Amino acid sequence: MLLHVPNVLTRDELAHLRATLDAADWTDGRETVGTLGAQVKRNEQLPDASPVRAELARIVLAALARNPLYFAAALPLKTLTPRFNRYTGGGEYGFHVDGAVMNLAQGEQLRSDVSCTLFLAEPEEYDGGELIVSDTYGEHEAKLPAGDAIIYPASSLHRVMPVTRGARIASFFWVQSLVRDDSQRRMLFEMDGAIQRLRASNADAEAVLQLTGVYHNLLRRWAEP
Ligand code: NI
């Protein structure tokens, strides 16, 4: 499932992130991928151990935690501490699949089910830089307003088009979802949305309660661990 999550960050948070990132020290983005990824990746990242990354990641995680649309779609169990990247001067990231298992702190691991990109530059600030996600329904393109996020299956082939003017700045991270399977997660998301709409329209309360029960029982059946 590909989903646009609008307004993840407030204007103040976005301004703070951008001011900090515009003054930050960047490093070669190939440091955090394997040899295959390194052949197609040309961008810059904040170093993993950078205190700036830690501070900004906390802001992103807090913003996600208060976003019901993001929560309903990703059903997050574990989230990788968000990273930050920048594409300039023709920088791009060719077609690749994200690593399936990632290392967290304290020897813990995360299975990447959901990939997320949070855009931190306005589309007018740069040319190119579209995120292209290729799935069974074809290729989808995303270039969103600053402060908006896109989530998509980590299993998908995807790429970032060359940035030919300006700078594309973003945060990106992976989520291990309570529900591993993308199609099951999508059904739960759609059901959750339908229940919210029924509730808001003062539909038959008993029927809404019954549907809510089915939602939770499906989640109980599909949730891991
Ligand atoms: Ni990727």
Side-chain angles (χ1 to χ4, degrees), residues 172-222:
F172 65 103
F173 53 92
W174 294 271
V175 176
Q176 179 170 337
S177 178
L178 283 164
V179 176
R180 175 198 291 232
D181 184 84
D182 185 63
S183 62
Q184 291 174 337
R185 209 181 312 116
R186 186 196 187 106
M187 283 190 274
L188 287 170
F189 175 69
E190 288 177 359
M191 191 170 187
D192 183 58
I195 290 170
Q196 303 301 333
R197 285 196 296 281
L198 285 173
R199 193 169 282 149
S201 68
N202 291 317
D204 181 332
E206 222 173 297
V208 171
L209 181 62
Q210 202 167 14
L211 279 176
T212 306
V214 174
Y215 174 88
H216 283 284
N217 287 330
L218 282 174
L219 180 56
R220 203 182 326 276
R221 171 166 296 207
W222 290 336

Side-chain angles (χ1 to χ4, degrees), residues 49-72:
S50 135
V52 174
R53 178 221 181 183
E55 189 228 324
L56 301 187
R58 270 195 298 276
I59 295 172
V60 172
L61 290 172
L64 294 168
R66 60 168 194 251
N67 192 300
L69 182 65
Y70 168 79
F71 193 88

